[in-house]
Amino acid sequence: NEAEFENGKISVNLMTFKAVGKVGILFRYKDINNHYGLLFDYSDKANNVKLYKKTEGSLNIVKAKFLDIVEAT
């Protein structure tokens, strides 16, 4: 049986350590070489949020942009 999905919203609270500087979310995960991901990269000052698609091991950036990421207090 195939699951049916519709467009929707997801809300998450992410926490990273400044020493690492990256955190991400994987979705539509089939295996390590086939999935989508949303990467938050604090070290990239121009495009710190990237949506990517990995197909058969090949990673392609779907969209990249800068978002003002606020640190939790």
Side-chain angles (χ1 to χ4, degrees), residues 1 5 9 12 15 22 29 31-32 34 39 42 51 53 55 57 60-61 67 69-70 73:
N1 292 331
F5 296 94
K9 294 181 181 182
V12 296
M15 184 170 46
K22 295 180 184 177
Y29 188 88
D31 57 41
I32 192 71
N34 296 284
L39 178 66
Y42 294 94
L51 173 65
K53 178 180 181 181
T55 306
N60 295 303
I61 302 297
L67 288 178
I69 299 173
V70 178
T73 56

Side-chain angles (χ1 to χ4, degrees), residues 3-54:
E4 292 187 28
F5 296 94
E6 295 182 13
N7 290 337
K9 294 181 181 182
I10 185 170
S11 176
V12 296
N13 292 320
L14 301 172
M15 184 170 46
T16 186
F17 299 99
K18 287 194 175 211
V20 176
K22 295 180 184 177
V23 65
I25 303 169
L26 297 180
F27 54 98
R28 297 197 68 182
Y29 188 88
K30 182 176 179 183
D31 57 41
I32 192 71
N33 291 312
N34 296 284
H35 60 269
Y36 285 83
L38 187 60
L39 178 66
F40 299 88
D41 183 354
Y42 294 94
S43 65
D44 188 340
K45 302 301 180 196
N47 293 303
N48 62 351
V49 179
K50 297 176 181 82
L51 173 65
Y52 70 85
K53 178 180 181 181
K54 193 170 187 182

